[in-house]
Amino acid sequence: MATTNRLALKATLHCLTGCAIGEFSGMAIATALGWGNLAQIALAIGLAYVFGFGLTALPLVRARLAPRTVVSTALAADTVSITIMELVDNLTVLAIPDALDAGLGDLLFYGSIAAGFAIAFPFAYLANRYLIARGRGHAVVHAFH
């Protein structure tokens, strides 16, 4: 039980890291380029998945697994967690007044994204714990970390 909880926490922190890098990068790039809200959100979500899966793929690549195995394992490990994290985070940002219009120098820009991740974290943790307890999700890559 403690091992499952610890692994779920590590998996969720891992997911949070990839999602945060992607979200902040995507929103910053789109804001700096003056893109509209839909383009901002799309880029941020896309980069969150890229960084989330990328962080999972690194130890698999280092373990010299075949590319097809790396991709399928990363997808199996993180899709649910990243999806939960992104859905809750983006809904939170959309719900906070003026958050999408905040500039890179505004605390609201960073605070709204951070608030979304804080709200999303327990949901992603519970999903990761559920999957790991059943030998799925991040449990499939644990041996390579």
Side-chain angles (χ1 to χ4, degrees):
M1 179 90 135
T3 302
T4 301
N5 290 339
R6 189 171 31 256
L7 187 54
L9 180 61
K10 285 181 181 183
T12 308
L13 289 169
H14 178 267
C15 174
L16 174 65
T17 302
C19 287
I21 292 168
E23 276 286 329
F24 281 110
S25 299
M27 294 299 273
I29 291 166
T31 299
L33 295 175
W35 290 4
N37 292 343
L38 186 59
Q40 278 184 348
I41 292 169
L43 180 62
I45 291 172
L47 288 177
Y49 276 97
V50 167
F51 281 100
F53 289 135
L55 290 176
T56 297
L58 285 174
L60 303 175
V61 170
R62 286 187 196 124
R64 301 188 192 280
L65 296 178
R68 185 176 189 178
T69 303
V70 169
V71 171
S72 64
T73 304
L75 289 173
D78 286 332
T79 300
V80 171
S81 184
I82 294 171
T83 300
I84 290 169
M85 197 74 75
E86 285 304 300
L87 181 65
V88 173
D89 178 63
N90 283 284
L91 288 174
T92 302
V93 171
L94 287 170
I96 296 174
D98 301 320
L100 283 177
D101 298 322
L104 294 174
D106 296 331
L107 183 59
L108 182 59
F109 175 86
Y110 303 98
S112 63
I113 297 171
F117 285 133
I119 294 168
F121 192 88
F123 297 103
Y125 170 81
L126 290 172
N128 279 325
R129 191 182 182 298
Y130 176 85
L131 291 169
I132 290 165
R134 284 147 188 81
R136 296 189 173 135
H138 233 266
V140 298
V141 296
H142 180 65
F144 301 105
H145 278 264

